[in-house]
Amino acid sequence: METSIDEKESMNIKVSEAAKILGKSEQFVRIGLQRDILPIGIAIQMSSKWTYHISPKLLKEYVGGELSI
């Protein structure tokens, strides 16, 4: 069974959305992921640019409740 594009997009939360949920700045989320301090996803440096994956499941566990995005 293939995963549709819509389902794949819902498997990732944007940095801006995570920041809003956490009540922090986008920079806080980026640096937390880059330094492996924030356990909600991963940050990977591709050449000089960083890319981020924020897991809805990990974010939900971190905040201890429901996510309303």
Side-chain angles (χ1 to χ4, degrees):
M1 177 188 230
E2 285 189 34
T3 305
S4 73
I5 292 174
D6 289 337
E7 289 171 338
K8 286 182 182 179
E9 287 177 0
S10 69
M11 290 187 222
N12 189 42
I13 293 179
K14 295 178 181 178
V15 169
S16 59
E17 294 169 339
K20 188 173 182 179
I21 290 165
L22 294 170
K24 300 291 183 185
S25 69
E26 291 180 28
Q27 190 72 358
F28 175 92
V29 174
R30 286 189 196 99
I31 291 173
L33 291 169
Q34 288 172 13
R35 295 184 180 173
D36 203 21
I37 296 170
L38 201 53
I40 60 171
I42 59 170
I44 298 173
Q45 190 171 14
M46 308 283 288
S47 297
S48 62
K49 190 173 181 178
W50 286 87
T51 185
Y52 304 92
H53 170 75
I54 299 172
S55 163
K57 180 183 176 203
L58 293 176
L59 182 57
K60 180 180 176 182
E61 290 171 1
Y62 184 75
V63 298
E66 290 295 315
L67 294 182
S68 55
I69 301 169

